[in-house]
Amino acid sequence: MAKLTFSGGIHPFDGKDMSKDIPIKDHKPGPELIYPLSQHIGAPAKAIVKKGDHVFVGQKIAEADGFVSSPIYASVSGIVKDVCEHRVIAGNNAMCIIIENDGMYSEMNPWEVKELDSMTSAEIIDRVKEAGIVGMGGAGFPTHVKMSVKEPQKIDYVIINAAECEPYLTSDYRKMIEEPEKLIEGLKVYLKLFPYALGIIAIEDNKPDCIKIFRALTKEEPRITVKALKTKYPQGSERHLIYATTGRELNSKLLPADVGCVVNNVDTIIAVRNAIFDGVPLLYRIVTVTGDCIKNPRNFKVRIGTLYSELLEAAGGYKKEPVKIISGGPMMGNCLFDLDVPVTKTGSALLCLSNDDVSRMEPSACINCGACVNACPSRLVPTELSKHSTHGNLEEFEANHGLECVECGCCSFVCPAKRPLAQSIKSMRKIVLASKRK
C-alpha cells in the first residue's frame, strides 16, 4: 500500500483550477436571510425569537434543544419577519427563522475573551457549544460533542482534515493560504483539551504550497506535524484519513475517539479559534461558487442564512445555462432545483455544470468486472450490496457489511454498466439504521 493513503479510491477530474487562485471575497447579503432550525445532526434548535423582534449581529435566535444540538445566531441585524416553514437545500420545507436585513450590521458585544492558557477544558467546551459550532465539512456533528471525550488523556491525535478531496471545492485551500495562523491557533485549542495528543495537519499533495506554508509555521511546534497525503478521492473521509495518517482502523461501530483520534475540518477549526480568541459565535462560512457555467468562479465569505441565488449573482451569473446545479461537490453534494434556499453551517459550495452524465446513463446488467470492488475504499462488494438493496433484503445487506459503506460514490463512478450502486446502497443504509433505532 502507498504511504499515507488507503486501498481503493478514484481520481475524478478535480476542477479546482477554476477558483483556487482567486482570493476569498466578503459577500454582503441581500434584504432577507433564512435560518433553518436544523443545520446539524441531532435535535433541531428551538426558536427563541418571534415575528416582529429586532435582532443584532451575534444575537442568539435559536437555542440548542438537547446535548446533540446546536444554537443559531443572527448574522445580520434587522427584524424577524417570520418563524415558519421554508424550502431548504434538501428540497423539503423545514422550520426557519426569516430576518429582514436592515443593512446596518449592528453587533452585540462579543463575549469575554480569556487567555487560552487560563481557560479550563470545561470553559473551552462550553464556549464552543454556546458558539453554535458544528462540523462544517458536511456532516454537521456538533463540535462540542466531539470535544466531550470521557477520557481526554487517551486521545493520541488531533487531526485537521485539510485534504479537501471533493472535486471543484477550494474553500479550505483558500483559508489555508490566506489565514494559516488562525488554523494553527485553532489546533492549539484542541491540544489544550487533549494534553497527550499530537496535532496532525493532513494535506493532499496536490497542495504543495499549503504543505510548505504549514511546515514553515510549525517547525518550532513539537506537538504539531504536517503530513502530505496522496491525492485521491475520498482521502478526506474520516475513517480513511485516520488510517492514512495513523494506521489505525475504524468501522461503523466505533467513533474516532475509540481509536484515540479527534478529527475536524479546516473551517470548523477556524470557527473554534474565532470563538475562543475573538469571542464570536459561528456567523460565517466560506462557500465555493464554481463550475463551467459560472462567469467568475471564486470563494465567498458568506453570512449564514444568505440565499444561494445571491451568490450566483455575486459570481457574475451564468455564462451558459446549467443542466445540473449542486450544493456541495459532485460526488456527495445535493442537487438543487431552487436557488432561493439558504446557505447553512454545512453548505460548502454552489456547483453549476453544463453536462449531466448521470441523467444520460442507461444502466445495464452487471458484467461482474470487479471495478466497484477495486474502487471501494471500505473494501466492500458494492454490486452485491446493491442487489440486496434492490430486493429489500435487510439481513443479507447487513451481513455483507453494508453499514460500513461511507457513501462516497466511488462504485457508481467506475461502474461500466452505469448502475446506480451508491444510490441504492445509501437508501438501504437509511432503512437499516431506521429499523435499528426502532
Side-chain angles (χ1 to χ4, degrees), residues 54-323:
H54 184 272
V55 297
F56 297 91
V57 176
Q59 179 177 335
K60 187 189 292 187
I61 56 176
E63 62 185 7
D65 194 19
F67 180 63
V68 186
S69 186
S70 184
I72 298 167
Y73 291 82
S75 54
V76 296
S77 57
I79 303 297
V80 177
K81 181 179 179 181
D82 209 347
V83 181
C84 61
E85 288 195 344
H86 192 280
R87 194 178 309 282
V88 293
I89 288 173
N92 60 305
N93 289 334
M95 288 301 297
C96 300
I97 299 169
I98 302 175
I99 296 177
E100 290 183 356
N101 181 10
D102 63 12
M104 301 297 291
Y105 303 102
S106 303
E107 298 182 356
M108 295 191 72
N109 293 328
W111 299 319
E112 178 190 1
V113 175
K114 297 174 64 176
E115 290 293 327
L116 178 60
D117 288 343
S118 70
M119 296 183 73
T120 65
S121 293
E123 287 176 323
I124 291 171
I125 294 170
D126 285 346
R127 174 58 56 86
V128 169
K129 178 180 180 179
E130 188 65 15
I133 300 170
V134 304
M136 296 164 73
F141 197 81
T143 302
H144 70 274
V145 180
K146 279 189 175 183
M147 289 179 160
S148 302
V149 176
K150 289 182 179 179
E151 298 178 289
Q153 71 276 8
K154 292 187 177 180
I155 297 299
D156 301 315
Y157 300 102
V158 175
I159 305 169
I160 296 182
N161 181 357
E164 198 164 45
C165 64
E166 181 83 32
Y168 292 93
L169 273 58
T170 58
S171 57
D172 285 353
Y173 172 79
R174 288 309 314 172
K175 290 287 275 188
M176 289 189 286
I177 290 292
E178 296 181 33
E179 298 182 327
E181 294 86 0
K182 288 187 177 181
L183 188 67
I184 293 170
E185 287 174 343
L187 178 54
K188 287 180 178 179
V189 174
Y190 275 84
L191 295 179
K192 166 81 173 176
L193 287 176
F194 305 111
Y196 301 106
L198 173 70
I200 298 175
I201 304 174
I203 309 173
E204 282 193 329
D205 59 10
N206 64 349
K207 305 174 185 67
D209 46 355
C210 285
I211 294 170
K212 182 178 179 180
I213 287 170
F214 282 98
R215 283 184 171 161
L217 289 174
T218 60
K219 63 182 179 182
E220 303 298 329
E221 299 285 351
R223 293 183 63 197
I224 300 176
T225 185
V226 178
K227 294 197 174 185
L229 310 177
K230 182 177 179 180
T231 300
K232 182 168 61 171
Y233 178 84
Q235 188 71 262
S237 161
E238 192 168 63
R239 292 184 205 172
H240 303 99
L241 186 73
I242 289 171
Y243 180 77
T245 54
T246 72
R248 299 183 180 187
E249 297 188 7
L250 186 67
N251 61 40
S252 64
K253 295 181 176 64
L254 299 174
L255 294 172
D258 294 326
V259 293
C261 299
V262 173
V263 183
N264 278 287
N265 85 315
V266 169
D267 228 357
T268 308
I269 292 282
I270 292 178
V272 168
R273 179 260 171 217
N274 293 341
I276 301 300
F277 284 71
D278 297 338
V280 295
L282 178 56
L283 303 175
Y284 301 88
R285 70 155 300 125
I286 308 302
V287 179
T288 307
V289 182
T290 188
D292 63 341
C293 294
I294 298 292
K295 281 187 180 178
N296 303 304
R298 72 182 309 154
N299 287 281
F300 293 94
K301 183 181 180 182
V302 180
R303 292 173 189 255
I304 291 166
T306 302
L307 299 180
Y308 275 100
S309 54
E310 295 177 26
L311 296 183
L312 172 63
E313 184 179 348
Y318 298 131
K319 64 181 179 181
K320 52 185 171 181
E321 198 65 25
V323 297

Side-chain angles (χ1 to χ4, degrees), residues 5 32 73 75 180 250 299 336 355 366 413 420-421:
T5 190
E32 190 173 276
Y73 291 82
S75 54
L250 186 67
N299 287 281
L336 296 177
N355 281 320
C366 175
F413 183 85
L421 301 171

